[in-house]
């Protein structure tokens, strides 16, 4: 992988991270690791503390307490050599609007040239990168003339041009329409593979996390509430299945741990009158929503969402 | 190690100059060019209109007196260019982009300084070139003329851009930059660009002499006007030593203060800050 991979056990190690703005605690005891070469998605609702976490890791924000190591250094005291190994792609950039696309990418790349080593030539070839993000045709256009999706692709190219070993994507698809978002996922997957970097991405969109992540860390209300691969999370935290049916014309729904046994009992009890039977396997989405809800109202259990009253038709009807 | 840092420094200078050249080209092409030419052309028209207005007896005319002061004023306007561009670059995230790029901030500052200095030189050329055709009574043949012009210009560029960087770091938005423009324009008005400072109330004239704008005008007059024109100045001399001391002091103050204040400002830049500012800007519009 890289020369540093041997020395450093993890690209990012966060231990007991805390952040408070005055009285308001945004991060309370956050700990996780990012390993070499993986795509880690930090997933959580808006206001969970994702951006604060990422900005601390990028070295843009001071933390209140805790240990943070990124590429072997504390980002709060990191130097330009460290900066050259890190790429950043933010939600939506509007900078350098008057510059031409290729001109800006080449200028940004030139700042990385002094940090090239024999094993890590920097920057990447600008034209190859433009081709990879599909902006060859736009290379002589002004940046402000790009469409929203093109602008994001340029931002990805700028984030990668210095050949970073680690790239941060902070909510990179916020505001994109579904198609542009799908294209963007494809681009991130392809480009990070092709240009080889460890990735930390934040999103509030579970589908996006499932699309891209090797591993997901769920952050809610300033705490890590789950950490694992998509499959692990599904197994570990996914709750009950949902069974829906009609009985004598009235709709019902119930969340149960064992749908098969429940359906058997249901049909045994009512030989007739049950129709529209439907079993929905618990999904990661249900689990995520449950976790988020639980974190936002600490008194309710993680499975609060699974305990909806099934006997009130008003609640049951779709 | 030392080789690397020398390489990095060369990289900063190189990147800064190329940024300056690119932005200069942007500033002087298309629609931007009209805005750039406006003030120099207005100045030329004003000079032309007053070319027969006598001043101080002895056959001198007002255009001869105003031309060097106007050149000094354009150097001082560099201050506002720095304030405006810093505010705009902070709002649109260009400064944050510089912050997350290795040596991005020093390269950015070199680039800004190159571009703004070159812009001012262009203003001076646009005004001075045509003005030489119709403004009489200048004394450009003396050996010291262009030497004086050069050192006043150099100190003036450093002093005004340093002050501009400090002011630009203190305001938080384009709107704030607009507010800063007002006192600077007021300062130009009382700094003897258009009429001898001795015509102003003593306390106003005294206040003007604390700031670099007056000394820029005086220095330019001492470079371009004949010795006899000094009679119109305070004390009847060009006061070259005082000019160098005041401009030099402001230059040093700017060079010392600007990096500290700029560092404090850029340290605060982050994605969420840029986003929050945009949010506020949108609310103002909506």
């Amino acid at each position: 992988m890289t020369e540093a991979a041997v020395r450093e056990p993890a690209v990012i190690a966060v231990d007991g991270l805390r952040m408070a703005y005055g009285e308001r605690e945004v991060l309370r005891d956050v700990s996780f690791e990012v390993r070499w070469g993986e795509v880690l998605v930090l997933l959580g609702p808006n206001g969970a503390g994702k951006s604060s976490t990422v900005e601390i890791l990028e070295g843009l924000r001071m933390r209140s307490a805790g240990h943070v190591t990124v590429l072997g250094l504390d980002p709060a005291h990191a130097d330009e050599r460290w900066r050259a190994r890190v790429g950043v792609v933010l939600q939506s950039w509007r900078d350098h609007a008057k510059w031409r696309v290729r001109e800006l990418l080449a200028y940004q790349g030139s700042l990385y040239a002094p940090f090239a080593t024999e094993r890590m030539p920097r920057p990447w070839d600008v034209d190859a990168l433009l081709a990879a993000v599909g902006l060859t045709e736009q290379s002589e256009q002004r940046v402000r003339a790009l469409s929203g999706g093109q602008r994001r692709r340029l931002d990805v190219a700028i984030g990668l041009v210095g050949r970073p070993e680690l790239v941060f994507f902070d909510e990179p698809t916020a505001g994109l329409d579904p198609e542009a978002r799908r294209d963007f996922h494809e681009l991130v997957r392809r480009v990070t593979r092709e240009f080889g970097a460890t990735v930390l991405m934040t999103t509030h969109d579970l589908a996006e996390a499932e699309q891209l992540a090797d591993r997901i860390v769920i952050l809610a209300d300033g705490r890590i509430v789950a950490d694992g691969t998509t499959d692990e999370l599904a197994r570990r935290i996914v709750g009950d299945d949902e069974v829906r049916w009609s009985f004598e014309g009235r709709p019902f729904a119930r969340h149960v741990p064992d749908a098969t046994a429940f359906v058997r009992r249901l049909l045994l009890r009512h030989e007739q009158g049950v129709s529209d039977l439907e079993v929905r396997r618990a999904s990661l989405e249900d689990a995520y929503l449950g976790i988020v809800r639980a974190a936002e109202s600490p008194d309710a259990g993680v499975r609060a969402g699974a305990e909806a009253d099934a006997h009130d038709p008003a609640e049951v009807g779709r | 190690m030392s080789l690397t840092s020398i390489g990095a420094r060369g990289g900063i200078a190189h990147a800064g100059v190329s940024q300056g050249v690119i932005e200069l080209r942007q500033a002087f092409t298309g629609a931007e060019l009209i805005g750039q030419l406006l003030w120099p052309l207005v100045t030329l028209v004003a000079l032309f209109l007053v070319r027969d207005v006598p001043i101080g007896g002895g056959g001198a005319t007002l255009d001869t007196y105003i031309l060097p002061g106007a050149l000094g004023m354009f150097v001082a306007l560099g201050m506002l260019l720095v304030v405006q561009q810093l505010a705009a670059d902070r709002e649109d995230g260009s400064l944050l982009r510089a912050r997350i790029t290795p040596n991005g901030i020093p390269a950015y500052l070199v680039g800004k300084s190159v571009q703004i200095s070159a812009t001012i030189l262009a203003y001076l050329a646009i005004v001075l070139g045509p003005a030489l055709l119709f403004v009489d009574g200048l004394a450009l043949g003396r050996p010291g003329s262009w030497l004086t012009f050069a050192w006043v210009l150099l100190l003036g560029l450093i002093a005004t851009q340093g002050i501009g960087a400090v002011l630009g770091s203190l305001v938080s938005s384009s709107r704030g930059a607009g507010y800063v423009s007002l006192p600077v324009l007021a300062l130009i008005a009382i700094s003897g660009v258009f009429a001898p400072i001795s015509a102003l109330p003593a306390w106003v004239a005294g206040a003007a002499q604390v700031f670099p704008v007056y000394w820029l005008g005086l220095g330019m007059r001492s470079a371009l006007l004949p010795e006899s024109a000094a009679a119109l100045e305070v004390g009847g001399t060009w006061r070259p030593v005082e000019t160098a001391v005041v401009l030099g002091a402001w230059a040093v103050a700017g060079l010392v203060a600007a990096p500290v204040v700029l560092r404090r400002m850029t340290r605060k830049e982050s994605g969420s800050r840029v986003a929050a500012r945009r949010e506020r800007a949108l609310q103002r519009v909506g």
Side-chain angles (χ1 to χ4, degrees), chain A residues 215-285:
Chain A
R215 208 150 55 80
I216 298 176
V217 169
I218 301 180
L219 188 65
D221 195 29
R223 286 192 183 85
I224 303 279
V225 292
D227 179 348
T229 64
T230 315
D231 288 345
E232 281 169 6
L233 288 187
R235 267 201 307 279
R236 197 182 316 152
I237 62 171
V238 161
D240 300 347
D241 300 337
E242 186 183 26
V243 182
R244 289 169 183 273
W245 72 97
S246 296
F247 183 65
E248 291 172 348
R250 287 175 64 204
F252 291 91
R254 179 69 68 83
H255 288 87
V256 294
D258 183 350
T260 313
F262 178 83
V263 168
R264 184 182 295 121
R265 280 203 311 279
L266 179 73
L267 294 177
L268 281 175
R269 198 185 311 159
H270 310 288
E271 279 181 34
Q272 284 177 348
V274 174
S275 62
D276 299 333
L277 182 64
E278 191 185 324
V279 175
R280 227 176 106 239
R281 296 281 295 174
S283 71
L284 195 53
E285 186 179 1

Side-chain angles (χ1 to χ4, degrees), chain A:
Chain A
M1 205 179 301
T2 64
E3 52 195 315
V6 188
R7 298 196 312 269
E8 296 159 11
V11 187
I12 297 176
V14 179
D15 188 17
L17 174 61
R18 284 168 195 280
M19 183 75 208
Y21 300 108
E23 295 280 284
R24 198 164 58 90
E25 265 197 306
V26 179
L27 298 174
R28 333 154 192 249
D29 194 17
V30 168
S31 304
F32 66 96
E33 284 195 348
V34 182
R35 299 170 203 130
W36 281 100
E38 78 178 342
V39 176
L40 183 122
V41 171
L42 192 56
L43 174 68
N46 293 330
K50 300 188 299 290
S51 285
S52 293
T53 306
V54 169
E55 287 181 357
I56 289 166
L57 298 179
E58 290 166 344
L60 299 182
R61 211 176 256 288
M62 301 301 279
R63 59 186 182 269
S64 305
H67 290 282
V68 175
T69 309
V70 177
L71 292 166
L73 287 176
D74 180 346
H77 307 290
D79 55 6
E80 300 303 309
R81 195 183 299 260
W82 178 88
R83 179 67 54 215
R85 299 170 66 196
V86 176
V88 175
V89 180
L90 296 186
Q91 293 190 15
S92 58
W93 288 95
R94 298 179 309 151
D95 64 300
H96 292 91
K98 293 180 191 167
W99 290 53
R100 291 178 200 287
V101 168
R102 191 183 186 287
E103 189 176 71
L104 177 57
L105 193 56
Y107 171 75
Q108 287 289 320
S110 74
L111 285 163
Y112 291 88
F115 300 93
T117 64
E118 232 164 75
R119 299 175 66 175
M120 276 295 212
R122 291 187 163 99
W124 288 113
D125 179 71
V126 168
D127 293 306
L129 202 47
L130 280 174
V133 299
L135 288 176
T136 304
E137 269 178 43
Q138 286 77 23
S139 62
E140 291 306 315
Q141 273 185 23
R142 288 192 191 276
V143 170
R144 66 167 156 230
L146 297 179
S147 72
Q150 289 170 341
R151 171 80 228 218
R152 301 291 172 88
R153 300 213 296 268
L154 173 61
D155 292 334
V156 173
I158 296 176
L160 292 172
V161 70
R163 193 176 181 168
E165 290 149 72
L166 168 66
V167 188
F168 293 100
F169 289 89
D170 194 4
E171 300 266 356
T173 60
L176 288 186
D177 63 49
E179 197 187 338
R181 183 177 289 218
R182 218 174 20 250
D183 289 350
F184 189 89
H185 292 160
E186 177 52 36
L187 175 76
V188 169
R189 259 202 306 270
R190 189 163 44 77
V191 168
T192 50
R193 202 182 316 124
E194 198 173 319
F195 294 86
T198 305
V199 173
L200 173 65
M201 177 183 292
T202 70
T203 181
H204 58 268
D205 180 1
L206 175 74
E208 181 159 287
E210 287 185 284
Q211 280 277 316
L212 294 172
D214 294 325
R215 208 150 55 80
I216 298 176
V217 169
I218 301 180
L219 188 65
D221 195 29
R223 286 192 183 85
I224 303 279
V225 292
D227 179 348
T229 64
T230 315
D231 288 345
E232 281 169 6
L233 288 187
R235 267 201 307 279
R236 197 182 316 152
I237 62 171
V238 161
D240 300 347
D241 300 337
E242 186 183 26
V243 182
R244 289 169 183 273
W245 72 97
S246 296
F247 183 65
E248 291 172 348
R250 287 175 64 204
F252 291 91
R254 179 69 68 83
H255 288 87
V256 294
D258 183 350
T260 313
F262 178 83
V263 168
R264 184 182 295 121
R265 280 203 311 279
L266 179 73
L267 294 177
L268 281 175
R269 198 185 311 159
H270 310 288
E271 279 181 34
Q272 284 177 348
V274 174
S275 62
D276 299 333
L277 182 64
E278 191 185 324
V279 175
R280 227 176 106 239
R281 296 281 295 174
S283 71
L284 195 53
E285 186 179 1
D286 299 325
Y288 174 52
L289 291 176
I291 286 170
V292 169
R293 237 174 272 138
E296 283 169 357
S297 53
D299 298 335
V302 166
R303 285 167 53 190
E307 290 166 357
D309 181 2
H311 297 286
D312 179 357
E315 264 192 29
V316 170
R318 283 184 195 238

Side-chain angles (χ1 to χ4, degrees), chain A residues 21 55 59-62, chain B residues 90 95-96 99 105 169-172 260-277:
Chain A
Y21 300 108
E55 287 181 357
L60 299 182
R61 211 176 256 288
M62 301 301 279
Chain B
R90 204 143 28 124
L95 208 61
L96 174 60
R99 193 183 169 200
I105 293 288
S169 306
L170 298 179
V171 304
S172 64
V260 178
V261 183
L262 281 168
R263 203 172 305 128
R264 259 191 47 201
M265 172 194 66
T266 55
R267 250 207 309 258
K268 288 193 227 148
E269 288 305 301
S270 68
S272 42
R273 241 167 204 277
V274 172
R277 266 200 300 270

Side-chain angles (χ1 to χ4, degrees), chain B residues 156-175:
Chain B
L157 287 175
I158 299 172
T160 52
Q161 288 179 39
I163 299 167
V166 172
L167 291 177
S169 306
L170 298 179
V171 304
S172 64
S173 67
S174 293
R175 198 187 244 196

